[in-house]
Amino acid sequence: MSECLTTETVVVGAGPAGLAVAGCLGRLGRPYAVLERAARVGDAWHRHYERLHLHTVKETSHLPHRPFPAHYPRYVPRRLVVEYLDDYAWAMGVEPRFGEEVVRVEPVAGGARRWRTITATGTVVESDHVVMATGFNRVPSAPRWEGMEGFRGAVEHSRGYRDGEPFRGRRVLVVGMGNTGAEIALDLAEHDARPVISVRGPVNIVPRDVLGRPTQRTALLLARLPPRLGDALGVVLRRLTVGDLSRWGIATPALPPAAQLREEARTPVIDVGTLARIRDGSIRVRPAIDRFLSDGVRFADGSEEPFDHVILATGYRPAIEQIVAGGEVLLDERGNPAVTSATGAHAGLHLVGFDAYTVGGLLGTIRRDALRVAQCIAESEDSMAAPGDRDCNYIARVRVD
């Protein structure tokens, strides 16, 4: 049986971004409803691979109004992130409606500048504001190659990977060397599998710590400098700490790490031990895949190698355009949301948890944007202006090249 509800703000998703926005709205005394398709908060964090830790320090990675507990380690492990998100929801009074998968967000007809949110169960919620907090990792990207259907081994996206125990002694190809691919390969090596990473192009790699100092803290300091100077210092640090990896099959990009983040929204690989395993030969690096064979793959250099299992660490897409009516206009050239608070035909729509351009990590930008969006909503309602009539200056992430 469907329901028709009304509230001031609908928050779509009860992951870190959705909880952060809801927590801020609650502190401001604003009414809201959180709709979550899973049966628990932070569902994706429950399903991430076991060895995952935050790559950013805990002091910069907590949600608004509630730091991580003092006894948590500097780099919080997946298990404690799950515990923290559960505690955050309880402490901030966030009570999502679980089992409500949002399938459509559209403006209400008639020019009233209101939004209608529709779920798969038939629930309809009308509101002045909608906050999309569905995250970068909503839809797995799983490319296809010629010959893939004839491969006799198993192929899975990294979303399904938990730990390396089932792969002991097996030949495993990890496709993609982002942070997920690099860590999965390391986990496989630590479980005595035989991992190979397929790397399509140059990769920026930085150590997580240098002489006990988090590289994140150094990056935040460099980000305060003029980009040209900060990038030059970043190149020097990369050369001193990582060096030339070409002999192991990894090319160095022309862009420094921070410039690649700013210009291409590509986070450098934060090394937590993968490079040592590559250098000692327990993880091998191969070029891009040309095609699949019945028992393995052929690489772009013409070489062939057998594999038992292939793990696609090939990323995800936010795909908000599948949910938000006319959402294509809100995306940048890579398909990521380019605004935090929209204007024009999408006034009243906010997007939190999609800023991949800022040094310091996604959780830090979630805290920043959640505070801003909640304040914007409160001010627009208190002023009795139509949602979106106020210029809240929260669209600074629109890039103009």
Side-chain angles (χ1 to χ4, degrees), residues 60-226:
T60 66
S61 305
H62 62 85
L63 301 186
H65 308 300
R66 196 163 183 83
F68 281 112
H71 67 275
Y72 276 25
R74 170 183 284 175
Y75 299 106
V76 183
R78 183 200 65 82
R79 176 182 59 82
L80 291 182
V81 173
V82 168
E83 181 181 288
Y84 170 79
L85 295 177
D86 286 339
D87 177 73
Y88 187 89
W90 176 83
M92 303 299 285
V94 181
E95 299 180 354
R97 291 173 62 97
F98 295 116
E100 293 282 15
E101 179 178 5
V102 172
V103 295
R104 190 69 172 169
V105 173
E106 60 189 19
V108 175
R113 288 204 174 187
R114 284 176 63 78
W115 289 89
R116 178 182 293 114
T117 301
I118 305 167
T119 76
T121 65
T123 298
V124 177
V125 188
E126 288 197 6
S127 61
D128 296 330
H129 301 267
V130 174
V131 180
M132 293 296 295
T134 47
F136 267 115
N137 297 349
R138 196 176 75 83
V139 178
S141 295
R144 304 288 300 177
W145 288 269
E146 184 180 352
M148 206 169 179
E149 66 283 349
F151 178 57
R152 294 195 296 264
V155 180
E156 68 170 322
H157 192 271
S158 59
R159 171 177 276 191
Y161 182 87
R162 293 296 173 268
D163 65 70
E165 185 62 34
F167 302 97
R168 288 187 182 275
R170 297 178 70 80
R171 302 165 297 186
V172 185
L173 176 64
V174 179
V175 183
M177 194 177 176
N179 279 297
T180 297
E183 279 207 59
I184 286 177
L186 175 60
D187 193 53
L188 289 165
E190 291 174 344
H191 284 86
D192 297 322
R194 296 153 62 187
V196 172
I197 307 178
S198 172
V199 180
R200 187 173 58 179
V203 181
N204 261 312
I205 303 175
V206 297
R208 188 178 68 178
D209 301 274
V210 177
L211 300 176
R213 177 182 174 82
T215 299
Q216 178 202 7
R217 295 196 184 282
T218 302
L220 289 169
L221 289 175
L222 293 180
R224 298 178 183 176
L225 301 174

